[in-house]
Amino acid sequence: MSAENAGPGPGQGSEPGPLCLEHGQALSWFCCSERLPVCAACVGLGGRCRGHRIRRAEERAEELRNKIVDQCEKLQLQSAGINKYVAEVLPGKNQKAVSTASAAREQVIQRLGLVRSLCESEEQRLLEVVHGEEERAHQSILTQRVHWAEALQKLDTIRTSLVGMLTHLDDLQLIQKEQEIFERSEEAEGILDPQESEKLNFNEKCTRSSLLTQLWATAVLGSLSGTEDVRIDERTVSPFLQLSDDQRTLTFNAKKSKALFPVFAVADQTISIVSC
């Protein structure tokens, strides 16, 4: 509506409302350009809103009322949706979280129980193997002690006999004992000197365990904080793996996929590949 068509405006005869500060008339119109309520004089000839797009204040108010009603309906629907979510969805989520947590807890307990059982069984087996190997080495050492004690006694007997011949026999008697001297010497030469034997050592390989090595390597690798300067020992890399130039990355060779995966071991911040 233009300024020429603006009449005295609505609101005449009704209770007086706020007046225009410039003209002292009722604010019966709304200037869409300035987004302010104005009076008839403001939109008339010489008014500051002449030529602006104006509309009746009651129309603008009705439009705002409709917007408020629409917004209230939206808020009511939004509130209803939230109430339904709180009343129906969240309890279900809570129940599901409780049941899922319980299942996860049981899974953790079962898996760790299985790992613990395997570890205890492997520990018992390896300790028995170590004990058996210790007993074997100990028995071998005892056998060697008995053997060399007998050898020493035999050598002492032979030496005593030869010394007796040397000191108590005359020339003719000594010549007559030549065969006996030869036999005694042959018997002494048959007693060999002690030799190093692996049977007398504890076999450290008896404790090798694929399960223990994998668990140990996993624990060591998992304990790294990420700040250590970890490099891979190229001398121990499996032929089925390719080591990067910076010695930090291993790539599996797909062409040899039938091979068993190696086990990673860490010592002094250097990763080695250990065959099990």
Side-chain angles (χ1 to χ4, degrees):
M1 180 181 293
S2 64
E4 289 81 356
N5 296 328
Q12 295 180 353
S14 61
E15 294 183 2
L19 301 178
C20 177
L21 297 178
E22 183 179 354
H23 302 102
Q25 298 182 17
L27 301 174
S28 304
W29 300 91
F30 178 77
C31 178
C32 298
S33 299
E34 295 187 2
R35 312 295 297 175
L36 293 173
V38 294
C39 68
C42 291
V43 300
L45 294 175
R48 60 186 176 85
C49 293
R50 177 179 173 78
H52 293 179
R53 190 169 67 88
I54 62 173
R55 57 189 307 186
R56 295 182 181 276
E58 61 183 11
E59 293 178 357
R60 176 58 179 168
E62 184 64 22
E63 180 182 356
L64 292 177
R65 289 190 183 94
N66 292 334
K67 287 185 177 181
I68 292 174
V69 171
D70 292 341
Q71 186 63 37
C72 289
E73 291 178 352
K74 291 181 180 179
L75 294 176
Q76 186 175 3
L77 292 175
Q78 185 178 7
S79 298
I82 293 175
N83 287 329
K84 182 178 180 181
Y85 179 81
V86 172
E88 299 179 5
V89 177
L90 288 184
K93 291 288 186 181
N94 183 66
Q95 184 63 32
K96 184 177 181 180
V98 171
S99 60
T100 304
S102 178
R105 192 177 296 108
E106 289 296 326
Q107 185 182 62
V108 170
I109 293 174
Q110 290 178 0
R111 289 184 176 181
L112 289 179
L114 176 60
V115 172
R116 189 179 298 109
S117 176
L118 288 175
C119 288
E120 290 176 353
S121 299
E122 188 69 359
E123 177 186 15
Q124 182 65 28
R125 184 187 72 82
L126 290 176
L127 290 179
E128 290 177 357
V129 170
V130 169
H131 178 72
E133 177 62 18
E134 182 184 20
E135 287 294 320
R136 184 206 61 76
H138 181 66
Q139 189 62 39
S140 296
I141 294 172
L142 289 179
T143 302
Q144 287 288 305
R145 286 182 181 276
V146 173
H147 170 75
W148 292 114
E150 293 176 353
L152 287 173
Q153 184 177 5
K154 186 178 294 186
L155 289 175
D156 186 64
T157 300
I158 295 173
R159 180 177 177 278
T160 301
S161 176
L162 292 176
V163 170
M165 292 180 185
L166 182 63
T167 57
H168 296 95
L169 298 181
D170 55 23
D171 294 345
L172 181 59
Q173 291 175 330
L174 192 62
I175 293 173
Q176 292 175 345
K177 292 288 185 177
E178 181 179 0
Q179 181 62 32
E180 184 178 349
I181 294 172
F182 174 78
E183 292 176 356
R184 293 283 185 174
S185 299
E186 284 288 320
E187 184 179 2
E189 291 178 359
I191 301 175
L192 303 178
D193 294 333
Q195 300 292 328
E196 177 62 30
S197 173
E198 289 296 328
K199 294 181 179 180
L200 301 178
N201 299 327
F202 181 88
N203 182 15
E204 296 181 2
K205 294 181 179 180
C206 71
T207 59
R208 285 189 175 181
S209 166
S210 176
L211 174 62
L212 180 60
T213 302
Q214 293 181 43
L215 290 175
W216 176 81
T218 301
V220 172
L221 291 174
S223 65
L224 296 177
S225 63
T227 59
E228 292 85 352
D229 184 15
V230 178
R231 297 181 183 275
I232 301 172
D233 188 352
E234 61 181 355
R235 297 171 300 175
T236 60
V237 174
S238 167
F240 306 109
L241 298 173
Q242 182 176 357
L243 180 62
S244 62
D245 294 336
D246 60 1
Q247 295 183 322
R248 296 175 183 271
T249 305
L250 289 173
T251 304
F252 180 67
N253 191 342
K255 295 181 180 179
K256 300 180 180 180
S257 59
K258 294 183 179 180
L260 295 177
F261 284 96
V263 176
F264 297 90
V266 177
D268 298 331
Q269 297 182 345
T270 299
I271 298 181
S272 301
I273 311 302
V274 181
S275 300
C276 296

